Amino acid sequence: MRTAPLHTRPLTRLVLGLTAVPLLVGSAVLPASAAPALKDNRPPGAERIVNTETLRWNAPRDFHIGTAVAGGGHHVDQPYPDPFFNDEEYRYVLAKEFNSLSPENQAKWEFIHPEQDVYNFEAMDAIAKFAKRNRQEVRGHTLFWHSQNPAWLEQGNFSKEELRAILKDHIQTVVGRYKGQVYQWDVANEIFTDGPNPVLRTGPTAQGGNIWLRELGPEIIADAFRWAHEADPEATLMFNDYGVENINPKSTAYYNLIQELLAQGVPVDGFAIQGHLSTRFGFPGGLQENLQRFSDLGLETAITEIDVRMDVPVGQQPTAEQETRQASDYDRALEACLAVEGCNSFTVWGATDKYSWVPVFFSGEGFATVMTDDFDRKPAYFQMRDSLAQAKQDRR
């Protein structure tokens, strides 16, 4: 008898506990830093979530409904401990609601490769282990980016040959470690500038330049994809960016570049749209058409970092009208993805406002996720869940 994929089977048991995992330093394995012991008990409020009412239960069997796992980056400076290791109810929601997890910052260079000869795998290993125990899959983010690079890299005095070797080692070490555990990798992230005439980010770091493009030239993009493919031939390798929801100069720059790379036999498998939206602006009505043109190239597509931020005065809550608009934007984006063959990954960039990046980086805006600080589900959550359930029914 054929069994259902792991992420669609009933969740009869959620495993929330993890043991500390090692910190790999060069070729030696040293004891991990003291990560809090994670408990297996059901957290307060767990009874609010019923299996058949969750996003993952209602998703089609071939569809990844995911979230970013909060940690690293700006969270280090917030007045709370690491969310993933310390918040039981948060972990419970991650396991119950989603069948795909993305490290928000835990696989970015500054976190996972903090010194030249040091790889810190503790948090990423924990996410991978948690996902396996809870029958989830993992998206990898990200291998080649202009931001959140460690000082040793950006301020180092490296030759071109040394930089090339550093990048190859990083990609093959990280991708190789999670071979078979990560189904998609954002290989090249945000490589084009904004504006009406986007170009590759070859400028100074302080102006948003990409060290790899500046020092090694555009040919290094193809090398990055080849190295990742060598490390894990089964992983889907993608470009990822913001501001590319519609057919516009920036998304067209990717469209043209990808065609060139495919003609050269470079293993580019997909194009991912982040989807950081705001109710200040209209919904990107060309989203489905844009996803479709990349699909027509034979690529997988994905929406990887969606949130919908709102203008709410300090100390106040969103109005019903604002939440209705937010719900519409989330659902229209989901519907666009569901309508395109090969768009089988949709990731909200944070499950709860409690740990959202938006208020930290967008003054006066917030409430951007599908759950409140207390994990109450918003209208956006329910509207998406209904659309997933309908798609599940339609695909039977």
Side-chain angles (χ1 to χ4, degrees):
M1 182 178 73
R2 184 178 181 183
T3 59
L6 292 178
H7 68 264
T8 61
R9 298 179 197 165
L11 295 180
T12 57
R13 179 170 179 264
L14 296 178
V15 183
L16 305 184
L18 296 172
T19 57
V21 291
L23 180 72
L24 183 65
V25 181
S27 59
V29 178
L30 301 181
S33 57
L38 305 188
K39 301 177 182 178
D40 283 348
N41 57 296
R42 287 163 61 91
E47 69 280 354
R48 292 183 299 175
I49 305 175
V50 179
N51 284 333
T52 56
E53 295 178 352
T54 64
L55 295 173
R56 70 180 289 181
W57 176 275
N58 285 280
R61 63 188 302 168
D62 59 346
F63 196 80
H64 296 96
I65 182 71
T67 186
V69 177
H74 73 279
H75 296 285
V76 175
D77 300 322
Q78 299 306 304
Y80 49 71
D82 183 284
F84 181 65
F85 285 108
N86 293 277
D87 189 332
E88 288 181 57
E89 187 167 12
Y90 177 63
R91 290 197 306 278
Y92 190 83
V93 168
L94 294 184
K96 197 81 168 181
E97 290 286 357
F98 303 98
N99 60 39
S100 173
L101 301 178
S102 297
E104 185 178 9
N105 297 288
Q106 299 93 329
K108 292 175 180 174
W109 270 76
E110 68 176 2
F111 193 99
I112 207 167
H113 201 164
E115 299 177 34
Q116 185 171 355
D117 297 319
V118 175
Y119 285 91
N120 176 9
F121 292 116
E122 181 180 26
M124 186 62 181
D125 278 358
I127 292 169
K129 186 174 183 178
F130 179 89
K132 183 178 181 179
R133 288 182 171 183
N134 290 292
R135 295 176 292 189
Q136 298 165 300
E137 297 188 68
V138 179
R139 287 197 81 255
H141 176 78
T142 178
L143 302 172
F144 181 106
W145 193 27
H146 67 275
S147 185
Q148 289 184 248
N149 287 325
W152 70 262
L153 174 65
E154 292 285 356
Q155 299 171 16
N157 185 24
F158 300 109
S159 67
K160 293 183 184 301
E161 292 75 17
E162 288 171 328
L163 276 175
R164 180 180 169 84
I166 288 169
L167 180 60
K168 181 178 181 180
D169 175 79
H170 178 92
I171 290 175
Q172 297 205 317
T173 298
V174 174
V175 176
R177 184 176 182 90
Y178 301 105
K179 180 179 180 180
Q181 301 178 70
V182 172
Y183 72 97
Q184 286 182 354
W185 275 104
D186 293 329
V187 176
N189 192 53
E190 301 175 5
I191 62 171
F192 281 103
T193 60
D194 301 325
N197 298 297
V199 295
L200 292 173
R201 292 179 179 269
T202 57
T205 297
Q207 298 175 21
N210 183 307
I211 185 174
W212 313 112
L213 294 172
R214 182 177 66 248
E215 301 299 327
L216 302 177
E219 296 81 8
I220 196 62
I221 299 169
D223 289 331
F225 277 89
R226 292 189 180 105
W227 293 332
H229 181 71
E230 289 172 4
D232 187 353
E234 299 302 317
T236 300
L237 307 180
M238 312 190 82
F239 284 97
N240 185 57
D241 211 331
Y242 65 89
V244 292
E245 293 80 14
N246 281 313
I247 295 177
N248 58 30
K250 193 174 185 181
S251 64
T252 297
Y254 278 103
Y255 186 78
N256 294 335
L257 173 62
I258 290 171
Q259 288 186 92
E260 294 174 8
L261 293 173
L262 292 175
Q264 298 168 25
V266 178
V268 177
D269 301 313
F271 179 69
I273 294 171
Q274 293 180 11
H276 295 295
L277 306 181
S278 171
T279 56
R280 289 183 180 182
F281 312 108
F283 180 81
L287 178 59
Q288 181 177 330
E289 182 183 3
N290 194 30
L291 288 167
Q292 187 63 56
R293 69 167 175 164
F294 285 95
S295 179
D296 290 342
L297 294 178
L299 301 174
E300 292 188 30
T301 56
I303 295 177
T304 55
E305 304 182 21
I306 190 165
D307 45 33
V308 183
R309 59 191 187 270
M310 299 182 284
D311 289 284
V312 180
V314 176
Q316 296 187 28
Q317 296 293 312
T319 65
E321 290 77 13
Q322 285 179 307
E323 288 196 332
T324 297
R325 163 63 194 279
Q326 180 186 59
S328 174
D329 282 5
Y330 265 111
D331 191 55
R332 289 177 70 183
L334 176 60
E335 291 275 13
C337 180
L338 288 166
V340 174
E341 185 176 0
C343 187
N344 292 319
S345 181
F346 187 93
T347 300
V348 296
W349 206 239
T352 167
D353 292 338
K354 186 176 184 179
Y355 301 125
S356 174
W357 73 296
V358 169
V360 180
F361 291 90
F362 293 90
S363 178
E365 296 183 87
F367 300 92
T369 75
V370 298
M371 296 184 190
T372 68
D373 287 355
D374 296 324
F375 303 103
D376 290 329
R377 292 171 282 183
K378 300 181 187 177
Y381 171 99
F382 292 109
Q383 199 160 330
M384 288 199 309
R385 192 185 66 185
D386 290 346
S387 292
L388 289 169
Q390 185 62 54
K392 184 177 183 178
Q393 179 66 34
D394 293 345
R395 294 184 185 187
R396 285 177 177 170

